[in-house]
Structures are given as structure tokens and as C-alpha cells.
Amino acid sequence: STLFPYTTLFRSVPGKKNNGEDGTEQGAEQYKKAVAAQVNEASVLDARIRNAANQINNQLSKKYISASLVTDVQALYNRTVSLFNTVQGLNPPADMLDIQTQFLQICEYLQTRADALVKGAEAFNSGGDYMAGFNRGAAAKSAFEKAWPAFLNTCRARGINV
């Protein structure tokens, strides 16, 4: 006969963390807030990358892209890397894994766009083949523009305030 037949052993579940970023309601709310902040950063980066691309296009006729603009675009690229790393470090609840996957892809598009601007501008200034870099960025821009509205709609439908 057992003295304590209703005693339950509590074990940690592999893969679950005790920092609130688990399947609990609290973890879901923390994730939603964290994602919303990073989506805002992605939106800012998109606007800045567009602006930088326009500035570069305007300087192509001058036969040289200013070093300060190349430096600014490199800083944008660094921000896209930081965004990707931050998003990758989020620990979504199981029912938000699809959002995490979509967002990482969007971050990769931003990163590719900024990197293509840097490499294209550097190639232009050195007399190299800059169109390959710019075309790579254009393809990433098209992919971003296709994915971004649907991603935002998915976020809103799941209660993420974006």
C-alpha cells in the first residue's frame, strides 16, 4: 500500500525554459510584446533601406557613391544582422512558431537588401560589376514586399500589436 497515492512527481520538461517564454499565457504575452517591438524595427529598417537605395540611385549618375552613404548603408546592414540575431533569440510558444519562422525569413530579406546595397555601391565605386549586387537586392525587395503584408496580417490575427 502506498502512503501518498496522489503525489505527483514534478519534472522539468525538456526544451521548456522557466523564464516565462514557454507555453503559458504569460510566455505568450511576453513573446507578443517582444515580436511587436522587433516588427517595428523591421519596418524602420525597410524604410531606411528604401531611402538608401534611392540615394544610391541618385548618385549613380555622378559616377561615384559617397563614402558617407556607403558607411550609412553598412550601419544599416549591421542593424539588420542585429535584428535577425534578436529575433532568432526569441523563444516563441509552440502556437507561434510559424510567426517566428516567417519573421526570420523577413529579417533575411532585409539583411540581403542592405548587404546588396553595400556590395553594389562598393563594386560601383571600384569599377566592378555592381548590377549583380543590386539585382540580388531587388529580388530580396520583391520577396519582402510579397511576404510583409501577409506577415503583418498574421501577427494582427494572433493578437500581436503591429
Side-chain angles (χ1 to χ4, degrees):
S1 123
T2 309
L3 289 175
F4 304 103
Y6 301 106
T7 302
T8 303
L9 292 177
F10 292 97
R11 295 187 181 122
S12 64
V13 177
K16 292 287 184 181
K17 297 184 179 180
N18 294 325
N19 63 358
E21 297 291 323
D22 54 23
T24 66
E25 197 62 35
Q26 179 185 7
E29 289 307 310
Q30 287 178 350
Y31 179 76
K32 288 176 184 180
K33 286 178 185 174
V35 166
Q38 298 313 311
V39 168
N40 184 58
E41 173 70 358
S43 181
V44 168
L45 288 172
D46 173 49
R48 291 193 175 163
I49 290 168
R50 286 174 190 277
N51 185 48
N54 288 335
Q55 289 179 5
I56 286 171
N57 285 334
N58 290 337
Q59 290 188 15
L60 290 177
S61 63
K62 298 175 185 171
K63 306 295 182 209
Y64 188 76
I65 298 168
S66 72
S68 65
L69 180 53
V70 175
T71 300
D72 290 348
V73 176
Q74 180 64 50
L76 271 176
Y77 171 75
N78 292 341
R79 282 182 65 182
T80 66
V81 170
S82 178
L83 174 65
F84 180 87
N85 290 338
T86 299
V87 172
Q88 192 172 41
L90 297 176
N91 189 7
D95 66 342
M96 301 235 175
L97 287 173
D98 59 327
I99 288 175
Q100 180 81 357
T101 301
Q102 291 172 39
F103 197 15
L104 285 170
Q105 182 63 63
I106 284 167
C107 291
E108 287 181 15
Y109 295 145
L110 289 170
Q111 198 170 336
T112 299
R113 289 168 59 197
D115 182 58
L117 287 177
V118 170
K119 288 193 169 73
E122 289 172 344
F124 181 81
N125 284 345
S126 67
D129 178 17
Y130 61 93
M131 285 310 297
F134 289 155
N135 288 340
R136 193 169 55 88
K141 177 185 176 201
S142 294
F144 175 90
E145 288 175 341
K146 182 179 178 187
W148 185 243
F151 172 72
L152 292 176
N153 287 338
T154 300
C155 287
R156 290 179 186 120
R158 303 287 269 294
I160 298 171
N161 190 17
V162 294

